[in-house]
Amino acid sequence: MAVERTLSIIKPDAVRKNVIGAILSRFEGAGLRIAAAKMLHLSREDAGGFYAVHEARPFYGELCDFMSSGPVLILVLEGEGAIAKNRDLMGATNPKDAAAGTIRADFADSIDANAVHGSDGAETAAWEIAYFFGQREIFRAES
Ligand code: RTP
Ligand code: MG
């Protein structure tokens, strides 16, 4: 399987709950490396631009309010099959549907406050990584 990069966000609810370290351990335990990281308090415009693909959806306003409600930790994860692996670790969007042992089953409260974001495909991963990081902020395994 090819080495990939994916964008992960530890969302404001998980930062508030003080479970950043617990979530990072899930990624590292599954063989993903943290290739980049930054903590930001997104403006509503930052959040809106990031989730522009959902602009027409009824939940878009609440999503932007929530994502700009407190600091987030934004990560680039790197590893074999990183995009799908991260989605597997996250679990279903609604924590009620998330499989036992997934991040959302263990740390999310609701479909809105669902602890983590993860890119859903190769194209979105590339776009999302470029939204937050320059090339000099992303590190390869050997650096
Ligand atoms: P994410 O983009 O944050 O990783 O989540 P996802 O792929 O699992 O879900 P997506 O369909 O991309 O939706 C983005 C976020 O919008 C909220 N949402 N609410 N009320 C609803 O029906 C609904 N559907 C989605 C969720 O917080 C979801 O993470
Ligand atoms: Mg999504």
Side-chain angles (χ1 to χ4, degrees):
M1 206 180 288
V3 173
E4 296 174 336
R5 286 176 175 171
T6 190
L7 189 92
S8 168
I9 302 178
I10 301 182
K11 294 187 178 184
D13 57 319
V15 174
R16 276 192 282 270
K17 280 186 178 176
N18 204 25
V19 293
I20 291 175
I23 293 173
L24 295 182
S25 294
R26 302 284 178 103
F27 298 142
E28 292 182 336
L32 295 173
R33 298 186 67 93
I34 295 162
K38 63 173 71 165
M39 198 165 193
L40 290 177
H41 189 147
L42 302 180
S43 68
R44 208 173 177 288
E45 291 67 34
D46 292 332
F50 181 74
Y51 278 116
V53 66
H54 293 310
E55 208 163 6
R57 310 284 285 277
F59 56 81
Y60 179 70
E62 278 175 36
L63 177 60
C64 296
D65 288 342
F66 172 68
M67 289 299 290
S68 57
S69 68
V72 295
L73 186 71
I74 309 169
L75 306 161
V76 176
L77 303 176
E78 189 175 77
E80 290 200 359
I83 297 167
K85 192 178 273 187
N86 180 43
R87 296 291 304 194
D88 287 346
L89 292 168
M90 289 164 61
T93 308
N94 188 338
K96 288 181 186 151
D97 303 326
T102 60
I103 293 168
R104 282 169 166 165
D106 291 343
F107 301 117
D109 297 321
S110 68
I111 193 167
D112 299 308
N114 63 359
V116 280
H117 163 85
S119 307
D120 60 9
E123 269 183 38
T124 46
W127 185 89
E128 290 177 358
I129 289 168
Y131 191 84
F132 286 117
F133 293 99
Q135 277 310 310
R136 291 172 43 170
E137 298 176 302
I138 305 171
F139 300 91
R140 301 178 65 82
E142 63 271 23
S143 57

